[in-house]
Amino acid sequence: MVVANTEPIATILHEARVIAVVGLSPRPDRPSHAVSSYMQSHGYRIIPINPSCSEILHESCYPSLLDLPEGSKIDIVNVFRRSETVGPIIEQAIRIGARCVWMQEGVWNPQAAHKAEAAGLDVVMNRCIMRDHRAFVLESP
């Protein structure tokens, strides 16, 4: 389902444990790094996806979702890429059996979202996972 209200977001964040971050930068001044570091500090396992690095945030880095070790269980694919590049990422997320695709703030691709939804994935678009974690996990009763 394409998430339009906040109730499913809280459920996604409460149930998820492993987040593959496509476009994770090794630079601490980049939003992808800060957000992923925050999520890691709150108990989520972060799996960096960046073809230019071998390790980020003390985790092995992979060139693409398709390069993850066989049997990897990914709850959320968090996308820090331009909106027009999301299509192939969605296709990879479907192939690896991810449960959710989360397009960060500023990332919006309805066509790719509908493809993911048709394959049974939850989809969140144009929202910051860190901000939503603070609002729906840390501040929830």
Side-chain angles (χ1 to χ4, degrees):
M1 97 191 100
V2 175
V3 176
N5 64 49
T6 57
E7 188 175 319
I9 289 174
T11 301
I12 291 166
L13 291 171
H14 278 290
E15 292 177 355
R17 290 293 113 219
V18 180
I19 303 172
V21 183
V22 179
L24 179 52
S25 173
R27 295 178 34 197
D29 62 319
R30 303 292 297 170
S32 63
H33 193 280
V35 167
S36 297
S37 179
Y38 167 88
M39 297 303 286
Q40 189 178 54
S41 73
H42 284 86
Y44 295 88
R45 176 161 182 236
I46 298 298
I47 300 177
I49 306 297
N50 182 328
S52 302
C53 299
S54 61
E55 183 180 286
I56 302 174
L57 294 172
H58 308 290
E59 292 282 352
S60 294
C61 194
Y62 300 91
S64 78
L65 292 169
L66 298 180
D67 295 307
L68 291 169
E70 191 171 329
S72 296
K73 180 180 177 291
I74 304 300
D75 297 311
I76 298 173
V77 173
N78 191 10
V79 181
F80 279 92
R81 300 290 310 203
R82 291 184 320 273
S83 298
E84 62 271 16
T85 68
V86 172
I89 296 165
I90 295 288
E91 291 172 15
Q92 291 181 17
I94 292 167
R95 284 185 59 191
I96 66 164
R99 292 179 42 216
C100 174
V101 173
W102 192 299
M103 296 179 231
Q104 278 296 129
E105 218 167 42
V107 182
W108 186 264
N109 189 321
Q111 183 179 4
H114 290 302
K115 185 172 189 170
E117 183 181 34
L121 280 70
D122 289 330
V123 178
V124 179
M125 284 193 294
N126 193 35
R127 294 187 69 101
C128 177
I129 197 169
M130 179 177 73
R131 194 172 297 133
D132 283 345
H133 180 268
R134 286 179 178 153
F136 304 118
V137 176
L138 293 186
E139 296 177 10
S140 66

